[in-house]
Amino acid sequence: MSLILDRVADIWRLSLDSGSTTKESYVQYTPLNNTALNWQPASAEDTVVAGGAFGQTYIGFTTASGILEGDKLVMQVTGEVMMVRGKSNWSSPDLASHTELLLVEFETTE
């Protein structure tokens, strides 16, 4: 069984700013550029767990490993930005090995 991964995202990760021991900012995490994934609207329960809002919380699926809670996913085609609020790794004889991500639309102040 395989997953339909119809979106491509770049991963951004918090990193200490150069010359600072306290200030962080998101930088593109190049080992995870071009990550294929799929996402679907989250259930009411997952929305509550993520601290998200209805219509702004999603469950994502990918076969890539190494994505962490707190990472940002930036969709290459649309520019949409999602924050990873949780993740689970799945592997069983009935399913393709994959990572399930709890995603919330990222709010910017720009």
Side-chain angles (χ1 to χ4, degrees):
M1 181 171 273
S2 63
L3 295 172
I4 297 173
L5 305 174
D6 58 352
R7 298 176 190 250
V8 178
D10 292 326
I11 309 303
W12 292 66
R13 186 162 287 165
L14 274 177
S15 179
L16 282 175
D17 288 350
S18 61
S20 175
T21 58
T22 58
K23 188 175 178 188
E24 297 177 314
S25 59
Y26 280 96
V27 294
Q28 196 164 5
Y29 187 67
T30 55
L32 289 174
N33 279 351
N34 303 313
T35 297
L37 61 113
N38 175 282
W39 80 59
Q40 303 166 9
S43 67
E45 292 84 6
D46 287 329
T47 299
V48 170
V49 168
F54 179 76
Q56 297 178 338
T57 307
Y58 302 88
I59 299 295
F61 304 93
T62 184
T63 56
S65 62
I67 297 172
L68 302 176
E69 288 183 44
D71 284 352
K72 283 192 325 185
L73 281 64
V74 180
M75 301 305 126
Q76 288 184 355
V77 173
T78 63
E80 293 170 281
V81 181
M82 299 286 168
M83 172 69 69
V84 178
R85 291 280 176 91
K87 74 174 207 170
S88 301
N89 294 318
W90 292 90
S91 181
S92 77
D94 300 330
L95 296 171
S97 294
H98 67 281
T99 300
E100 184 176 309
L101 304 169
L102 185 54
L103 305 170
V104 174
E105 286 185 33
F106 188 75
E107 301 287 330
T108 62
T109 56
E110 298 175 25

